[in-house]
Amino acid sequence: MLVEIGHFALVLALVFALLQVSLPILGMVKNNVALAQLAKPLLWGQFFWIIVSFAVLMNAFVVDDFSVKYVANNSNTDLPSMFKISAVWGAHEGSLLLWAMILAGWSVAVSLFSKRLPAEVLNHILVVLGFISIGFLLFLLITSNPFERLDIIPLQGRELNPLLQDFGLIIHPPMLYMGYVGMAIPFAFVLSSLVRGQLDSTWLRWSRPWTLIAWAFLTFGITLGSWWAYYELGWGGWWFWDPVENASFMPWLVATALVHSLSVSEKRGAFKHWTVLLAISGFSLSLLGTFLVRSGILTSVHSFASDPARGLFILIFLVIVIGGSLTLYAWRANLMRSSNSFAPLSRESGLLINNILLVAAMLSVFLGTLYPLLLDSLGLGKISVGPPYFDAVFVPIMIPAVLVMVIGPFLRWKKDNTSRVFGLLKTVWIGVAALFLVALFLTDNIFVLLAVFLFIWIVLHSLVLLTQRLQQKGRPSSAFFGMILAHIGIAVFVLGATVTTQHGIEKDLKMELNETIDIKGYQFTFKGVDNFNYENYQGHKGIIEVAYAGEKIATLKPEKRQYVTGMPMTEAAIDPSLYRDLYVALGESLGDDAWSLRLYYKPLIRLIWLGGILIALGALLAAFDKRYRLSFQRTAARRSRVES
Amino acid sequence: MSMIMWFVLMIAVSTVWLVWFLKNPLKSNLFNLEKSNVALGKQRQAELEQDLRQNLIDESEFNQAKQEITQTLAIELNQATGADTLAQKNIPLWSIGLMVAFLVVASLGIYQLLTPQPKAELIPQIVEQSEPPSLKQSMAELKQYLLEKPDDFEAWQTLGLVSFELGEMEDSLSAYERSYQLNSKNVSMLVEYASAIATSQNDQFVGRASMLVREALEINPNAPDALYLAGLVAANAGQFDLAKKVWQRALSLLPQDHPDRPILEDILVELAQIQGEETPQYQVTINIDLSERLRQAEFNEHYLMVYIKAAQGRPMPIAIQKIKLKDFSGKVTLTDENSVMPSRKLSQSTQVLAVVRLSQSGAAMKQAGDIQVLSSVINVRDNPTVDLQVE
């Protein structure tokens, strides 16, 4: 019965979303404040019923209610409790419910924390968010009902994909969804402004902190995903240019462009066209990413066709959202005229170049991800687009973007001159050149040298900028510190990614008992394999002792698991450090106590995720700048009253 | 509390919520759009002055920027439509009634529309038909019957078999499991259940399937069906002597005219061939035609992973060769020497696929960007030669 209650709660959430859209519109048309002001309470009601629905589904997992098809397909009694909870979003239906819940949660946050937004603006925004909720709730209820019952109740459920039985996957999807869904907020701000015909300062000012928070979550979600793929998949890689990864990377690139473009639009009133387009495309790509991953189109183009109802719904929804918003954009284009001029050498130009490069990079990823799918679905043959394409196209676009990134903050608004900029930066560039000369003695790998150059370039510029600003009167804003932190995060990431790719060592080998292999001075000795049993799996655990300079530093125990349902799984063992990771994955038994093993030496790989964390923290620091905070606003308002 | 009562309660809570906020609307904040834009305009000017103090804008540009802020504000104020003056009006009772009615009808209507109807409702139509019931009709009838008599283990077993025949493995395994829980001493059920499990795991008689066969033989050591499956379990584990013994015993227990006798006899002949002589060595030759593009020097350091995998069952390679493209001659021959596991040699396989994968990394698993080509199903015992084109 509880399951039916959960299902009915989801229906009620849909009805609340329908009312959330229709009644406030009626109120605005009929000039009735009681109806217009219903947007907030109806949204809260919608959120409440989605939470009830989500809690019921979670309960079904916890109590092993296998009468629910979704539970029976993704959980069993042997599954540890922690994973029963994360199994709720382990597959299509539950993850869409999580999507809907996070969207409602974001909307509630906007309704509660946007105290300085005029009510009419906020109501419009909540109506747009209500429209998106309707789309998702209908998709859930019509094609992906998580509460569907089974005619025959199995006594035991299936296995949650072993890859998902991991702490990283408990938090990675919610974080990523927070980012994906968060992109709906700037989108709703833009749409509401276009609908109202007022692309004004209010929209620009108040959408920026939400965009920064969404961008921080997206960064953190992608970083978590990369970290998970590294330690869980057993291949030692941290990014595969896999279409699923690209699906989250594309909105990230656009969101990066958007947070920068918003700052120009907000301060100087320029780039409004561009900012609107970025906000629309950021959310459109988030939607596209979610559906690409969740429709199954990426694992096989045919799975799209195998469920025509889902596929058709997805297409219609995407067409409505993307087509509708672009039509609105075209209709209101005349509102975005700007006479605010700027010279070719100015901070605005720097940010524009950066934006263009980021969007070009996104388009290169878009092409490499979707073109093979398009060809395949049209029956025009199969092509494979992999790392060689992305390395050749994406990386060269990003290098100038990274170079320009740290010059921009030194430039003046509107107009600057080369001699001033040169005079300001010449000592920095001498410093970069001097440090780079030192680096030339450390490695002859051209890619590593390039990465070291970029690292020095970013860090030195950022530190000089920080020093300059600290010397000026008045404490810099937290947005400024956020920018410095995020830029240094990029530097750290570039260094880690390049060094680990270029100097990482992989050995795929057969090891006899007590055999020792040397990799970069680390001696890996194979000490055999133990068998073990756990709650829902059994398997083999290899024992590899690692010594450095004759001294034992770690014992690594990689696992080869066989889950009760027969699914095999490799669990790598890692000895981590900031300087390097030692990574071991157990392969197959080759008889006579010999096993195949994969050994990896991964220098500076931790910098990749450290960089991601720094970027996310930088974004959060900028989002909570005092100019966006309510307490600051109240103080300013009080001061203004006193002055008047 | 019944489900209907819960639904009524949920609708009541929703209605009270809606009506409460209709009667007591949330107060708008004091900011209208005009005030907000004016305040932001002032703040932008203050920030501009700060930029000037921090030397982030030239003095000559400062005045122009200041003017632009004023102009922008003027445009924004001009755009304001005055829509911020919404009137506080009472909502007539009939309107509230209409909204509540919508809430009730929409929620119940959508729920009714989206909830799958119980399949049992189809039964009366089926019963009225005069033709013999199809498998699907039988299944529907059985389900209806089991709703009334859920403890009938034979009915669950029949349902398992019918579902199996219809290819609905999930339902079949669930039904057999129910039958097993009700009576685990039913040999025919145990044999059918074991077969269903093995089918669901690519014909592998391992794990639960082999346990069920053992349970069946503990109950009746002379059950031919169970003995036949026991032979498969042994063969699966590579214990061919035991398999032979078990199948011979099954054959001796079957009547002369039993339709399963030829099957068992064929299996025993095949087994004798395997055991009676030196195990023949087979090989698969793969001619690989690389496209012009892939013959370029830039691909020299790429790896060609050439391997054989079972046409059905585990995806892991049986035999493999990993060659750098610069060392590749155009032809690869895979023999037992290239077998990955000593217990699973190439010559022991029959129906297989030849796979060629071009990989930059040479990693064992397929990576994004790898090009992979598969042959059609081939029989290792034909010592086949396969031509594959990689583009």
Side-chain angles (χ1 to χ4, degrees):
Chain A
M1 184 178 70
L2 207 55
V3 171
E4 278 68 33
I5 289 171
H7 188 197
F8 191 61
L10 205 54
V11 171
L12 276 174
L14 172 65
V15 174
F16 267 78
L18 287 168
L19 290 171
Q20 179 193 332
V21 167
S22 53
L23 294 184
I25 289 180
L26 198 66
M28 290 170 216
V29 172
K30 296 272 180 191
N31 195 25
N32 186 318
V33 74
L35 287 176
Q37 283 293 84
L38 273 176
K40 272 194 209 177
L42 287 170
L43 163 69
W44 299 338
Q46 186 214 132
F47 184 48
F48 173 76
W49 287 125
I50 294 180
I51 285 183
V52 169
S53 184
F54 194 83
V56 168
L57 187 61
M58 192 175 276
N59 177 69
F61 272 93
V62 172
V63 301
D64 298 319
D65 184 352
F66 300 130
S67 70
V68 181
K69 189 178 176 185
Y70 183 64
V71 179
N73 282 340
N74 296 289
S75 179
N76 58 49
T77 50
D78 296 327
L79 197 65
S81 305
M82 185 170 65
F83 297 131
K84 280 182 184 172
I85 289 171
S86 64
V88 175
W89 54 83
H92 173 78
E93 290 86 346
S95 72
L96 273 175
L97 183 58
L98 178 72
W99 216 106
M101 190 172 78
I102 292 176
L103 176 62
W106 268 105
S107 307
V108 168
V110 170
S111 77
L112 293 177
F113 299 115
S114 299
K115 304 272 188 200
R116 297 285 295 186
L117 263 186
E120 55 161 316
V121 178
L122 183 58
N123 289 337
H124 272 93
I125 291 167
L126 296 185
V127 166
V128 176
L129 290 168
F131 263 118
I132 301 169
S133 275
I134 290 173
F136 271 89
L137 290 169
L138 276 175
F139 187 53
L140 259 170
L141 286 164
I142 294 174
T143 70
S144 318
N145 179 11
F147 297 104
E148 190 182 335
R149 292 273 201 185
L150 284 170
D151 288 338
I152 302 169
I153 304 167
L155 291 178
Q156 180 59 290
R158 285 182 181 171
E159 185 72 80
L160 173 69
N161 185 344
L163 280 174
L164 307 181
Q165 295 181 36
D166 176 76
F167 175 74
L169 254 281
I170 294 176
I171 51 171
H172 162 57
M175 284 297 137
L176 199 60
Y177 276 18
M178 284 292 283
Y180 269 153
V181 182
M183 291 307 294
I185 308 300
F187 174 79
F189 270 76
V190 161
L191 266 260
S192 75
S193 299
L194 289 173
V195 168
R196 288 182 297 109
Q198 286 163 325
L199 281 151
D200 50 20
S201 309
T202 301
W203 154 65
L204 288 164
R205 167 58 58 92
W206 299 115
S207 64
R208 189 147 187 263
W210 295 108
T211 311
L212 281 164
I213 296 172
W215 185 59
F217 276 113
L218 203 51
T219 310
F220 195 49
I222 293 172
T223 306
L224 268 175
S226 163
W227 173 60
W228 166 82
Y230 167 71
Y231 75 77
E232 188 67 11
L233 296 185
W235 301 106
W238 54 273
W239 191 262
F240 301 90
W241 291 110
D242 181 86
V244 177
E245 292 169 331
N246 295 349
S248 63
F249 191 45
M250 288 186 282
W252 185 87
L253 287 168
V254 172
T256 310
L258 179 61
V259 291
H260 290 90
S261 139
L262 265 172
S263 75
V264 183
S265 299
E266 184 199 347
K267 272 185 164 270
R268 295 281 88 86
F271 301 178
K272 279 190 184 172
H273 269 287
W274 182 250
T275 306
V276 167
L277 271 180
L278 286 177
I280 292 173
S281 47
F283 181 60
S284 301
L285 286 169
S286 281
L287 271 188
L288 188 71
T290 306
F291 284 137
L292 281 178
V293 175
R294 282 300 161 200
S295 65
I297 190 170
L298 284 183
T299 44
S300 158
V301 284
H302 305 297
S303 59
F304 194 75
S306 70
D307 190 347
R310 249 177 222 180
L312 190 66
F313 195 105
I314 290 167
L315 278 178
I316 292 172
F317 192 58
L318 280 174
V319 166
I320 290 174
V321 172
I322 301 173
S325 47
L326 288 178
T327 308
L328 201 57
Y329 166 77
W331 180 42
R332 295 294 199 185
N334 61 324
L335 291 174
M336 290 172 263
R337 278 173 306 193
S338 169
S339 57
N340 301 357
S341 57
F342 53 88
L345 185 67
S346 63
R347 187 180 288 204
E348 286 93 329
S349 298
L351 283 160
L352 184 64
I353 292 168
N354 221 298
N355 258 246
I356 290 168
L357 289 170
L358 282 166
V359 171
M362 182 280 289
L363 288 173
S364 73
V365 179
F366 186 86
L367 193 70
T369 308
L370 290 191
Y371 188 61
L373 295 174
L374 188 72
L375 279 189
D376 198 5
S377 59
L378 294 175
L380 297 173
K382 285 180 185 292
I383 62 162
S384 179
V385 177
Y389 162 81
F390 292 104
D391 292 346
V393 179
F394 178 82
V395 177
I397 298 175
M398 286 309 286
I399 290 171
V402 170
L403 288 172
V404 175
M405 179 180 86
V406 283
I407 298 289
F410 284 97
L411 299 179
R412 281 177 170 171
W413 291 108
K414 294 191 79 63
K415 192 177 178 185
D416 212 331
N417 60 73
T418 39
S419 54
R420 190 195 79 88
V421 177
F422 185 74
L424 197 66
L425 292 176
K426 67 176 181 222
T427 32
V428 183
W429 293 343
I430 291 167
V432 171
L435 286 171
F436 184 64
L437 278 175
V438 176
L440 283 173
F441 291 101
L442 301 176
T443 176
D444 57 356
N445 183 311
I446 186 85
F447 297 105
V448 175
L449 279 173
L450 181 62
V452 170
F453 173 78
L454 290 175
F455 177 80
I456 297 168
W457 176 266
I458 299 169
V459 172
L460 223 53
H461 278 88
S462 301
L463 291 179
V464 168
L465 184 68
L466 181 67
T467 316
Q468 277 184 2
R469 202 58 67 83
L470 287 172
Q471 284 167 350
Q472 286 172 348
K473 204 178 167 187
R475 186 177 168 274
S477 63
S478 61
F480 174 79
F481 287 118
M483 177 193 74
I484 296 285
L485 199 59
H487 287 176
I488 289 178
I490 297 275
V492 169
F493 165 81
V494 167
L495 187 68
T498 314
V499 171
T500 199
T501 307
Q502 295 299 321
H503 286 314
I505 297 172
E506 173 189 342
K507 292 217 168 173
D508 213 338
L509 33 85
K510 175 184 173 186
M511 284 185 88
E512 307 280 354
L513 194 63
N514 291 323
E515 186 181 345
T516 298
I517 297 287
D518 188 290
I519 300 177
K520 274 272 176 186
Y522 293 94
Q523 288 89 41
F524 295 78
T525 307
F526 179 54
K527 289 288 184 185
V529 168
D530 282 345
N531 297 330
F532 67 93
N533 278 301
Y534 191 62
E535 280 176 64
N536 60 335
Y537 59 83
Q538 57 180 6
H540 310 290
K541 186 181 285 188
I543 301 162
I544 293 96
E545 284 183 3
V546 187
Y548 188 75
E551 194 177 324
K552 183 179 156 187
I553 56 167
T555 302
L556 299 175
K557 295 181 178 176
E559 294 176 9
K560 189 94 186 163
R561 296 176 182 172
Q562 189 82 25
Y563 281 77
V564 284
T565 46
M567 290 178 78
M569 180 75 198
T570 301
E571 198 75 15
I574 304 169
D575 180 45
S577 80
L578 203 59
Y579 172 64
R580 57 89 191 114
D581 270 19
L582 302 175
Y583 185 110
V584 181
L586 189 63
E588 302 291 334
S589 164
L590 300 176
D592 299 331
D593 293 331
W595 283 73
S596 66
L597 286 160
R598 279 192 306 279
L599 308 180
Y600 298 86
Y601 166 78
K602 297 270 178 189
L604 299 188
I605 193 162
R606 300 270 144 183
L607 295 191
I608 292 172
W609 308 302
L610 178 66
I613 291 167
L614 290 177
I615 297 168
L617 287 177
L620 286 178
L621 211 55
F624 292 103
D625 189 84
K626 64 181 179 183
R627 60 212 284 264
Y628 304 124
R629 283 205 304 263
L630 194 63
S631 56
F632 172 74
Q633 299 296 335
R634 282 184 185 143
T635 316
R638 260 201 307 276
R639 195 183 303 139
S640 161
R641 276 202 298 276
V642 170
E643 280 168 8
S644 67
Chain B
M1 200 154 60
S2 71
M3 195 168 75
I4 304 289
M5 286 306 292
W6 272 109
F7 282 11
V8 170
L9 183 69
M10 290 164 80
I11 290 173
V13 169
S14 302
T15 307
V16 169
W17 183 264
L18 175 64
V19 175
W20 173 266
F21 283 103
L22 276 169
K23 287 284 175 195
N24 305 284
L26 291 176
K27 283 187 184 139
S28 309
N29 57 17
L30 296 172
F31 285 95
N32 61 25
L33 198 54
E34 204 174 290
K35 281 182 192 165
S36 169
N37 283 332
V38 169
L40 288 174
K42 282 182 184 168
Q43 202 181 45
R44 285 174 66 191
Q45 287 207 350
E47 284 170 5
L48 185 67
E49 279 159 16
Q50 196 180 0
D51 284 347
L52 182 69
R53 284 195 296 277
Q54 290 180 340
N55 205 17
L56 292 176
I57 188 162
D58 189 67
E59 223 168 318
S60 59
E61 300 296 330
F62 169 78
N63 290 327
Q64 199 195 333
K66 199 171 175 181
Q67 207 176 349
E68 283 169 0
I69 292 174
T70 316
Q71 275 172 358
T72 306
L73 182 60
I75 293 169
E76 286 171 358
L77 295 178
N78 201 30
Q79 279 176 353
T81 56
D84 49 319
T85 53
L86 289 180
Q88 181 74 53
K89 290 179 189 168
N90 280 331
I91 310 229
L93 262 180
W94 65 267
S95 295
I96 295 177
L98 212 62
M99 286 175 216
V100 171
F102 173 79
L103 194 149
V104 176
V105 172
S107 52
L108 290 174
I110 294 171
Y111 183 76
Q112 183 68 20
L113 199 71
L114 297 177
T115 308
Q117 301 303 310
K119 290 172 187 166
E121 286 177 14
L122 300 171
I123 301 300
Q125 299 165 17
I126 294 162
V127 174
E128 284 166 20
Q129 291 171 359
S130 55
E131 289 175 18
S134 67
L135 274 179
K136 279 199 168 169
Q137 290 166 338
S138 303
M139 187 161 78
E141 282 177 22
L142 270 168
K143 283 180 183 175
Q144 173 69 10
Y145 170 79
L146 284 165
L147 284 176
E148 291 156 18
K149 293 197 173 173
D151 294 336
D152 186 339
F153 70 88
E154 284 178 325
W156 282 111
Q157 183 189 347
T158 313
L159 181 60
L161 187 63
V162 173
S163 304
F164 182 81
E165 292 297 330
L166 285 169
E168 296 182 6
M169 291 307 297
E170 204 176 298
D171 283 356
S172 173
L173 295 178
S174 301
Y176 276 128
E177 183 60 31
R178 285 295 288 264
S179 179
Y180 180 83
Q181 295 295 330
L182 293 165
N183 179 9
S184 61
K185 304 292 175 198
N186 177 358
V187 173
S188 67
M189 180 275 297
L190 290 170
V191 169
E192 285 174 22
Y193 191 12
S195 299
I197 292 176
T199 306
S200 73
Q201 50 196 30
N202 295 320
D203 294 327
Q204 297 293 308
F205 277 86
V206 291
R208 184 91 197 273
S210 69
M211 301 270 286
L212 289 169
V213 173
R214 200 164 65 192
E215 283 179 42
L217 284 174
E218 279 169 8
I219 298 162
N220 180 6
N222 292 325
D225 285 355
L227 284 168
Y228 170 67
L229 294 191
L232 289 176
V233 172
N236 239 28
Q239 297 169 309
F240 295 111
D241 284 340
L242 179 62
K244 187 176 175 184
K245 220 154 112 183
V246 174
W247 278 330
Q248 279 171 340
R249 176 155 181 75
L251 194 63
S252 70
L253 291 166
L254 284 177
Q256 286 303 319
D257 56 348
H258 197 282
D260 288 346
R261 277 193 79 92
I263 300 169
L264 269 175
E265 283 164 355
D266 281 353
I267 289 178
L268 282 166
V269 168
E270 200 176 332
L271 195 62
Q273 279 174 351
I274 293 168
Q275 291 192 304
E277 41 187 79
E278 189 76 31
T279 312
Q281 301 273 314
Y282 299 104
Q283 65 177 41
V284 178
T285 307
I286 302 154
N287 295 319
I288 302 163
D289 182 13
L290 292 174
S291 70
E292 203 58 49
R293 183 175 69 91
L294 298 176
R295 287 185 199 152
Q296 305 296 319
E298 64 183 284
F299 289 97
N300 275 352
E301 292 302 312
H302 283 48
Y303 291 91
L304 209 53
M305 320 283 282
V306 185
Y307 62 92
I308 296 294
K309 68 171 188 175
Q312 287 192 325
R314 295 180 184 181
M316 61 189 67
I318 297 166
I320 186 165
Q321 272 197 43
K322 179 176 170 182
I323 314 157
K324 272 209 171 166
L325 218 51
K326 63 180 178 192
D327 307 323
F328 174 61
S329 63
K331 186 166 92 174
V332 173
T333 303
L334 292 169
T335 65
D336 284 349
E337 293 288 305
N338 306 111
S339 296
V340 176
M341 297 175 72
S343 59
R344 198 182 174 209
K345 295 220 158 134
L346 178 66
S347 297
Q348 290 165 355
S349 309
T350 50
Q351 304 287 305
V352 297
L353 295 168
V355 185
V356 175
R357 179 155 60 80
L358 184 69
S359 164
Q360 187 184 18
S361 61
M365 287 274 284
K366 190 182 174 196
Q367 309 274 297
D370 286 3
I371 302 170
Q372 185 168 292
V373 184
L374 278 87
S375 73
S376 53
V377 177
I378 46 174
N379 193 333
V380 175
R381 296 183 183 190
D382 298 337
N383 285 319
T385 299
V386 184
D387 295 326
L388 290 175
Q389 200 169 9
V390 184
E391 295 179 327

